[in-house]
Amino acid sequence: MNRSLADEQFLSGKGAGRYPTASAVLSDISALRYGYKYEYRKHAKGSDLTPWEKTTAELYVSHPSGQELDTSAFSKIHESFRGQERGYVIGTAVMQDVTETAWWND
């Protein structure tokens, strides 16, 4: 597990439950294994879907304080912080620009 992007997380609240969730995850893994592609029926009906790489998103990016974070992918930075151990940036970016940064795969 790559923990450089996110450490352990605990989510609490109403959900499908452990068995339905486990079933859905297993189904998704099986679909990947056998090359199954999910349908996007709204797209077939003429709905306008933005390709993932052209999607604009608000992102939270955490990084070690000693590491300089390239923020050129962000069109707007809403908030940034650098503490003794970790820092973060919250901003708006187009996903294609984000995937071209060095930190995307770190």
Side-chain angles (χ1 to χ4, degrees):
M1 175 185 223
N2 183 348
R3 292 182 185 236
S4 64
L5 296 178
D7 203 349
E8 291 183 28
Q9 297 180 17
F10 175 78
L11 304 175
S12 176
K14 292 186 177 185
R18 66 180 178 175
Y19 296 119
T21 301
S23 176
V25 170
L26 183 58
S27 176
D28 288 345
I29 292 170
S30 296
L32 284 171
R33 170 70 174 91
Y34 292 104
Y36 178 79
K37 303 285 185 188
Y38 289 104
E39 292 182 37
Y40 295 100
R41 293 185 180 146
K42 288 182 179 180
H43 182 63
K45 292 180 180 179
S47 295
D48 185 29
L49 293 177
T50 303
W52 180 82
E53 64 275 1
K54 295 187 187 296
T55 300
T56 300
E58 188 170 326
L59 304 173
Y60 168 92
V61 181
S62 174
H63 61 90
S65 284
Q67 175 185 334
E68 192 63 35
L69 184 71
D70 174 15
T71 58
S72 62
F74 291 96
S75 58
K76 183 174 183 182
I77 295 177
H78 306 290
E79 183 178 337
S80 64
F81 170 79
R82 183 174 294 185
Q84 288 185 348
E85 294 182 23
R86 299 210 53 86
Y88 68 83
V89 173
I90 299 173
T92 303
V94 175
M95 293 310 298
Q96 183 172 5
D97 296 337
V98 171
T99 60
E100 294 172 359
T101 63
W103 50 263
W104 174 250
N105 288 315
D106 283 344

